[in-house]
Amino acid sequence: MTHTNGLRTLLVLALAVVLTGCATHEQKKQVMVDKWEKNTLDTKLTMVEGLIERGQTAEAKNVLDKCLAADAESAKAHFLMGRVHFIENRNTQAVQSFERAVALDETLDAAWYYRGGLAFLQGDSAMARAYYEKALALKPAETEYVLGMAQLLTQTGDNPAAIALLEGALAGQPRNRDLLVCMADIYGRSEQPQKAIACYEQALLVDGKDQAVLETLGFAYAAQKEWDKATVLFERLLAVVGDNDRKEPVLNTLAMCAMNAGKYPLAMRCYDKLTVLNRDDAEAWLGMAQAAMGVDQFDRAAACAQKALQLKPSWPQGYAVLGAAQYLQKKYTASLDAFAHLLTDEEFDGFAWFMTGRCYGRLGQTARADAAYKQAGDRSAESPLVERFLKEKTGAM
């Protein structure tokens, strides 16, 4: 009996040891799992950043849910979850995630910046400025933060402060394209075109093939009627765009600038390409006609104007160019027929009556010429076409 009791005691003790060992093993296993989860958190969060950049926000959210389950105190995980919420237009949840992130780690500059962006979207400029300032205090040279604050300042009408901020940033990054373009945009909207142009020129030095800068600077020159410079910029842009969808609008703009710069051969080449790209483009055919007149190819000018009128019948601009081309061909009767379509047109009547007088004068019909000039009266003086036509250096005049 004593032997049996002793055996029972040994079995109970042994079982207790085994069970205690199992419990300790499970606990140690869980500790190891928890430690592994935390150690791999940074790797998973890096993967999440890649998913977000590729637009795979659903996958990113799934991974973040697991990350936060493993470590609810991860500031970076909360920040990335905020980004996912923001991208998917869940702004309330995004605000909560960003606020949780900075509560856990107040040095998380990106979270402050995004929080500022959300405040800006919600119309709270003062709060947005406060958050942007926190982000900038942590990373004053971060381009994105500087641009965000500059945009906020200009939206609230404080352009001088925005310019001062950008000048400070550019002092340390004089070749920062984005800062230069932002500065140029603010100067442009502040009606300081020459300063805007200077900034765009600096940006172009950073990358001479920057399509956005080439185009914007070209239009800035055009707005100042610096047609030669505008033409050069759009020629460079044309060389960069190649054969993509932007080629046609660039050709149109280049042709317009070339015409205004008096570079008629270049304008003709542009319009020739445009008529190949679109045979039914009446504007291109009329542009070709005007350019042809500039190089004294009056037969071609008349033919192109007639093509434009076939595509766009009763077009006043078409008849104005056709009549002028025929006059320069010394086909005065045909020219009279073209100008007859314009005698009652409010835009072209002065020019039409003036040229009608010219045609009758060339035909030796003095009385009709005088009557036409009388009809032109003050209207011809107000017509820029009359002034321009009088300056044309041709023997037909």
Side-chain angles (χ1 to χ4, degrees), residues 67-342:
C67 290
L68 287 168
D71 183 3
E73 302 299 299
S74 170
K76 187 174 181 180
H78 283 290
F79 164 66
L80 292 174
M81 184 65 85
R83 285 190 62 190
V84 170
H85 287 316
F86 178 72
I87 291 168
E88 295 184 344
N89 296 315
R90 292 188 295 272
N91 290 349
T92 301
Q93 293 95 318
V95 168
Q96 293 170 351
S97 293
F98 291 137
E99 289 184 343
R100 179 63 176 152
V102 294
L104 290 166
D105 182 1
E106 63 181 12
T107 67
L108 199 56
D109 52 281
W112 288 116
Y113 173 72
Y114 272 91
R115 184 65 187 88
L118 281 164
F120 185 42
L121 288 174
Q122 293 165 347
D124 192 340
S125 299
M127 189 63 72
R129 184 165 183 167
Y131 288 132
Y132 281 154
E133 285 173 348
K134 285 182 176 293
L136 281 167
L138 292 165
K139 276 193 178 179
E142 181 64 37
T143 297
E144 190 175 7
Y145 303 169
V146 174
L147 294 175
M149 177 65 92
Q151 181 185 17
L152 172 64
L153 292 170
T154 56
Q155 289 286 332
T156 55
D158 197 351
N159 285 348
I163 290 172
L165 173 67
L166 290 165
E167 285 177 342
L170 283 165
Q173 306 175 68
R175 289 177 59 81
N176 187 307
R177 179 264 189 201
D178 293 332
L179 295 177
L180 287 165
V181 169
C182 184
M183 177 81 89
D185 180 59
I186 294 172
Y187 277 134
R189 286 187 279 116
S190 302
E191 298 184 0
Q192 300 181 67
Q194 293 306 320
K195 288 186 176 182
I197 286 172
C199 289
Y200 285 128
E201 288 174 339
Q202 287 297 312
L204 200 57
L205 291 176
V206 177
D207 180 2
K209 295 183 179 181
D210 188 320
Q211 294 186 29
V213 175
L214 283 168
E215 182 173 28
T216 308
L217 180 55
F219 279 120
Y221 282 135
Q224 296 301 302
K225 300 188 185 305
E226 294 187 52
W227 298 112
D228 285 325
K229 291 182 178 180
T231 299
V232 170
L233 265 294
F234 284 107
E235 278 189 285
R236 290 173 61 180
L237 179 59
L238 183 63
V240 174
V241 298
D243 292 324
N244 63 27
D245 293 339
R246 297 197 62 212
K247 184 174 183 178
E248 189 169 345
V250 173
L251 275 169
N252 266 307
T253 306
L254 174 56
M256 180 270 292
C257 292
M259 284 291 294
N260 281 284
K263 298 182 177 181
Y264 302 119
L266 173 58
M268 284 186 68
R269 291 196 297 273
C270 291
Y271 286 124
D272 186 52
K273 292 177 182 177
L274 286 165
T275 56
V276 171
L277 290 171
N278 184 358
R279 300 295 296 176
D280 297 329
D281 186 349
E283 297 276 357
W285 284 108
L286 194 64
M288 177 83 81
Q290 291 173 292
M293 286 173 60
V295 293
D296 294 344
Q297 294 184 19
F298 307 129
D299 291 348
R300 186 175 185 180
C304 290
Q306 287 169 335
K307 176 66 176 179
L309 284 166
Q310 289 173 9
L311 295 167
K312 195 173 181 179
S314 303
W315 190 18
Q317 287 88 340
Y319 280 112
V321 175
L322 176 60
Q326 289 171 331
Y327 178 88
L328 294 171
Q329 286 179 293
K330 300 183 180 181
K331 296 181 178 179
Y332 305 119
T333 301
S335 182
L336 283 169
D337 290 339
F339 288 123
H341 289 83
L342 302 175

Side-chain angles (χ1 to χ4, degrees), residues 14-29:
L15 186 59
V17 171
V18 171
L19 291 174
T20 301
C22 288
T24 303
H25 175 72
E26 289 300 324
Q27 290 171 354
K28 288 182 178 179
K29 180 180 177 181

Side-chain angles (χ1 to χ4, degrees), residues 332 336 355-366 368-369 372:
Y332 305 119
L336 283 169
M355 292 305 298
T356 296
R358 278 294 181 97
C359 290
Y360 280 131
R362 292 293 184 180
L363 291 170
Q365 300 181 33
T366 306
R368 288 188 173 184

